[in-house]
Amino acid sequence: MQNIEDVKNNLLSQIAASDFPREILKSSELKKLYGAISSMPVEQRGIYGKSINDLKIVLESAVLTKETEAEDLSVEQIDITAPFDVNGGKIGLLSAENGSSHPLTTELENVINIFTRMGFEAIESRQIDDDNHMFGTLNFPDNHPARDGYDTFRTEEGFIPPAHTSTMQNRILKAGKAKLEADGQIAAVSYGRVFRNEDIDATHEHTFYQCEGVFVSSDATLGQMLGTLRSFFEVYYGQKLKIKTQPAYFPFVEPGLEFAIEKPVALGGKPGEWLEMLGCGMIHPNVLRSAGIDPEKYRGFAWGGGIDRLVMLKYGIEDIRHFESGKLAFLRKFV
Ligand code: FA5
């Protein structure tokens, strides 16, 4: 029992001094104490086992306290109005570090570069919008259950932080109408942050990024769309890919599809393992009409996909929540 007390005091002081307190729970001293139970006379095991359990509880709570303190230090003590070099030390930045782009910013730039080289104009998506752009012009009937699928937040005034970049489609079509009539096509991507009031897990965030494409001409086809998407994914992942589609319902496209790629072996995939990457389809005539474009003369296709999941696959990131966590250990891997 004296031994348990000694181990406790020793480990508590190690926890207090450590930057990675949870590691201390793997200490060999602790393992020896657990191991000792089997060589003990049966009548002593009950009391000994209870002491070990009490010790575990004390250590676990010391680790939690220490971890919480560390989090508090990194969030509470910075003066956000102070220059970067004033805050750097306080949040654990090394003096040589000047900060770097967030991995989602870097990868969003990569994505936009690929599409602009293909001839698409890039337009940033809004972060606050209205019901008409989020739903109305996208052929969602009033009170239609498909609206519920987007788990939208609303402000008290009734504005919406958009749940998808499709909120930009009507503006892109209206602004492009003159160009369509003059040059024969609209080709644009919109990109930005979107918001959904949904349960968070390893693949679902409440705040994430999307990139959306819109193409209109007199003879646009699904085949052109699939070719465009295949080229994008092959350039982004730097290799040949297998693709497939399956039917999906989005009120603003007809037909609507889900587009999947076979997970590349180089990125840990097994043959036959498919990943859904985005939603897409031929733009619904009502969506063209709501922007004043005649669906008898013009046809279009559109797609929209998540940037976060694209980047997770590229780097083998197992949990989407790392992106918004602000954890330096994660961010440093992308410097
Ligand atoms: C849409 O948002 C449609 N606007 C896509 C679209 C555009 C279809 C144009 C047709 C034409 P969906 O809800 O399936 O569809 O989301 C598209 C992608 O966003 C998903 O494939 C996924 O990559 C990403 N996504 C959706 N919800 C989340 C989430 N909670 N966290 C992270 N990524 C998400």
Side-chain angles (χ1 to χ4, degrees):
M1 292 300 163
Q2 182 53 43
N3 193 18
I4 295 184
E5 201 53 27
D6 290 346
V7 171
K8 177 168 124 188
N9 291 335
N10 181 20
L11 294 185
L12 281 178
S13 52
Q14 286 188 35
I15 289 170
S18 172
D19 285 339
F20 301 99
R22 198 157 286 280
E23 292 297 302
I24 313 288
L25 297 179
K26 296 182 197 149
S27 129
S28 60
E29 284 181 84
L30 210 50
K31 286 198 187 119
K32 268 192 219 142
L33 287 183
Y34 299 151
I37 202 161
S38 56
S39 57
M40 204 160 264
V42 179
E43 63 277 11
Q44 286 178 19
R45 286 188 191 173
I47 299 183
Y48 183 80
K50 181 167 180 318
S51 314
I52 297 279
N53 261 341
D54 291 347
L55 172 64
K56 268 164 87 178
I57 293 169
V58 169
L59 295 177
E60 179 66 34
S61 110
V63 166
L64 270 181
T65 310
K66 178 80 193 198
E67 283 174 343
T68 320
E69 270 171 29
E71 299 260 321
D72 287 350
L73 271 185
S74 59
V75 290
E76 271 178 18
Q77 292 198 356
I78 24 176
D79 169 3
I80 55 162
T81 63
F84 180 78
D85 54 346
V86 172
N87 290 323
K90 294 188 183 155
I91 59 172
L93 285 180
L94 310 176
S95 60
E97 285 180 323
N98 288 324
S100 55
S101 277
H102 189 280
L104 288 177
T105 307
T106 312
E107 293 302 320
L108 188 56
E109 280 167 6
N110 278 343
V111 169
I112 293 166
N113 274 339
I114 297 172
F115 283 122
T116 49
R117 274 183 271 138
M118 287 166 128
F120 288 84
E121 184 191 353
I123 298 158
E124 188 168 3
S125 184
R126 296 172 65 106
Q127 296 192 28
I128 193 84
D129 213 340
D130 54 31
D131 193 89
N132 190 40
H133 287 93
M134 172 70 210
F135 293 118
T137 55
L138 289 172
N139 194 38
F140 285 83
D142 284 345
N143 303 319
H144 192 276
R147 289 171 174 241
D148 300 340
Y150 289 84
D151 301 306
T152 41
F153 293 107
R154 270 173 206 271
T155 68
E156 283 167 7
E157 300 83 358
F159 291 111
I160 298 178
H164 58 179
T165 41
S166 305
T167 205
M168 294 299 287
Q169 278 198 20
N170 184 255
R171 294 188 184 87
I172 289 173
L173 294 172
K174 272 191 183 149
K177 193 178 166 209
K179 193 167 175 293
L180 177 63
E181 281 156 9
D183 307 342
Q185 67 177 48
I186 298 172
V189 286
S190 61
Y191 60 91
R193 208 187 244 170
V194 293
F195 311 88
R196 292 191 193 183
N197 184 8
E198 66 177 328
D199 292 337
I200 296 170
D201 60 27
T203 54
H204 293 86
E205 256 291 8
H206 50 72
T207 302
F208 57 100
Y209 288 79
Q210 281 192 339
C211 181
E212 171 124 358
V214 173
F215 183 87
V216 184
S217 71
S218 59
D219 56 3
T221 63
L222 265 187
Q224 288 172 352
M225 180 184 78
L226 296 179
T228 307
L229 290 174
R230 174 197 283 282
S231 306
F232 164 74
F233 282 104
E234 291 189 344
V235 173
Y236 184 75
Y237 288 119
Q239 62 187 98
K240 289 263 165 234
L241 293 169
K242 280 195 189 156
I243 62 169
K244 76 172 181 186
T245 57
Q246 60 183 34
Y249 173 68
F250 303 96
F252 36 99
V253 285
E254 179 57 39
L257 304 171
E258 235 148 33
F259 178 95
I261 61 170
E262 195 180 37
K263 185 170 178 184
V265 176
L267 298 175
K270 297 180 201 71
E273 189 179 349
W274 293 93
L275 295 173
E276 279 169 28
M277 300 307 287
L278 48 79
C280 56
M282 297 303 290
I283 298 176
H284 195 286
N286 288 347
V287 174
L288 293 175
R289 250 181 233 119
S290 70
I293 293 174
D294 181 358
E296 301 293 322
K297 276 169 71 183
Y298 295 106
R299 307 145 58 83
F301 54 79
W303 71 84
I307 299 294
D308 306 49
R309 292 190 194 163
L310 196 74
V311 179
M312 286 168 79
L313 173 60
K314 185 168 178 180
Y315 293 109
I317 297 166
E318 80 294 353
D319 195 314
I320 195 169
R321 290 167 289 194
H322 287 310
F323 288 126
E324 305 276 343
S325 70
K327 295 244 161 73
L328 288 175
F330 171 74
L331 297 174
R332 283 203 179 103
K333 294 188 188 143
F334 300 92
V335 173

